[in-house]
Amino acid sequence: MEKAYKILSVQENISHKKAKALIDLGLVSVGGKKLMVARKELPKNTHFSVQKVEKPSVIFEDENILALFKPPFIESYDLVSFFKGWALLHRLDKETSGVILLVKENSEFHLKAKKAFKDRALKKEYLALAQGIIEEEQEINAPILTIKTTKAFSKISKKGQEAVTIITPLKIINKKTLLKVGIKTGRTHQIRVHLKHINHPIIGDTLYNNEPGSAKRLMLHAHKIALLGYEFEAIPPKEFEI
């Protein structure tokens, strides 16, 4: 037996540090299941599957705004290292793909855009692959409390902040439902927590789904966003084509 990251470093001919980073990013799986702990003891002949990370790509750019397609497994905060001179307007969870917006920091447009977020004067639409069968549109209105330590964790609580999510089923296959999701508020992990709350957690969600399934990632995609006269759309990855 040997620690997983040491076996991986030999398999991929990379440093221990790089091997740990790949596991921590959720890019390594064994037998179709994501490896969660870099120091897990495994047989020395264990074979790992390592998922490649795409690079972010530009959807639109002008003097005010930069709309990007963020692939899964890239931290939102790392995008500014790819695109110098731009600052994040909002963020997406690491494993969430889709459209994300950057602006020129403290510009007039940045201040207007921040106010639009604060005033909820924008529209966001997501796609989510949920566990189980959801046959009708519904509104989920349940307050969310977020606890932040080294990582954020959210839960339904009367002490939480208002959170409203609207879900619309698009397709049902193999006891899974592809949903169009609209959010009227922007709480941390809102869609993930609300879908867990109605017993239809997102496939691949290792934080809020006790049985995340064999998906290689959290099956959540930021599909569309509109604010201040701009509208952007990010084509969903192939894994959403159920």
Side-chain angles (χ1 to χ4, degrees), residues 18-130:
K18 176 69 172 175
K20 280 182 181 177
L22 289 173
I23 295 169
D24 290 343
L25 282 169
L27 294 171
V28 180
S29 57
V30 181
K33 289 191 174 182
K34 191 185 296 183
L35 179 63
M36 303 300 296
V37 182
R39 295 180 176 275
K40 185 175 182 179
E41 297 276 344
L42 294 170
K44 290 185 178 181
N45 62 350
T46 299
H47 180 76
F48 302 97
S49 296
V50 181
Q51 194 169 339
K52 303 300 179 187
V53 179
E54 296 176 58
K55 288 186 177 179
S57 56
V58 175
I59 297 171
F60 175 86
E61 180 180 359
D62 69 6
E63 68 277 8
N64 291 322
I65 199 163
L66 175 63
L68 300 176
F69 171 78
K70 186 190 90 65
F73 302 109
I74 289 182
E75 290 281 9
S76 296
Y77 300 110
D78 291 337
L79 294 170
V80 293
S81 64
F82 290 94
F83 300 92
K84 302 293 185 183
W86 293 92
L88 278 177
L89 179 58
H90 60 116
R91 62 177 296 277
L92 298 173
D93 292 339
K94 181 176 69 178
E95 290 188 28
T96 301
S97 58
V99 61
I100 190 167
L101 304 179
L102 283 71
V103 292
K104 298 292 185 181
E105 191 157 22
N106 295 324
S107 64
E108 184 180 348
F109 183 84
H110 187 191
L111 299 177
K112 287 180 180 178
K114 283 202 296 186
K115 189 174 188 303
F117 268 80
K118 185 179 179 180
D119 296 343
R120 303 179 189 172
L122 73 159
K123 185 178 180 181
K124 287 183 181 180
E125 181 185 296
Y126 290 76
L127 295 175
L129 187 61

Side-chain angles (χ1 to χ4, degrees), residues 109-233:
F109 183 84
H110 187 191
L111 299 177
K112 287 180 180 178
K114 283 202 296 186
K115 189 174 188 303
F117 268 80
K118 185 179 179 180
D119 296 343
R120 303 179 189 172
L122 73 159
K123 185 178 180 181
K124 287 183 181 180
E125 181 185 296
Y126 290 76
L127 295 175
L129 187 61
Q131 200 167 287
I133 296 171
I134 303 170
E135 295 182 317
E136 295 181 349
E137 179 175 300
Q138 60 180 289
E139 179 177 294
I140 308 164
N141 190 336
I144 290 175
L145 177 67
T146 299
I147 301 155
K148 292 185 177 179
T149 52
T150 52
K151 290 184 178 180
F153 180 82
S154 295
K155 63 181 181 179
I156 304 299
S157 170
K158 291 179 180 178
K159 296 179 181 178
Q161 294 179 294
E162 179 195 16
V164 182
T165 304
I166 298 169
I167 59 172
T168 306
L170 299 176
K171 192 182 290 186
I172 298 169
I173 187 168
N174 295 333
K175 295 183 180 179
K176 300 173 186 176
T177 304
L178 181 64
L179 298 168
K180 178 175 76 173
V181 184
I183 56 173
K184 293 184 177 180
T185 51
R187 307 304 174 205
T188 300
H189 299 167
Q190 176 174 321
I191 298 171
R192 300 165 67 178
V193 173
H194 270 176
L195 286 174
K196 177 190 177 183
H197 178 60
I198 63 167
N199 297 316
H200 292 286
I202 298 176
I203 301 294
D205 191 342
T206 54
L207 186 58
Y208 298 105
N209 189 347
N210 294 330
E211 297 178 7
S214 59
K216 293 181 179 178
R217 54 164 289 199
L218 170 73
M219 293 299 288
L220 182 63
H221 176 74
H223 191 207
K224 298 176 182 178
I225 189 168
L227 83 163
L228 299 176
Y230 289 93
E231 290 187 29
F232 305 110
E233 178 177 346

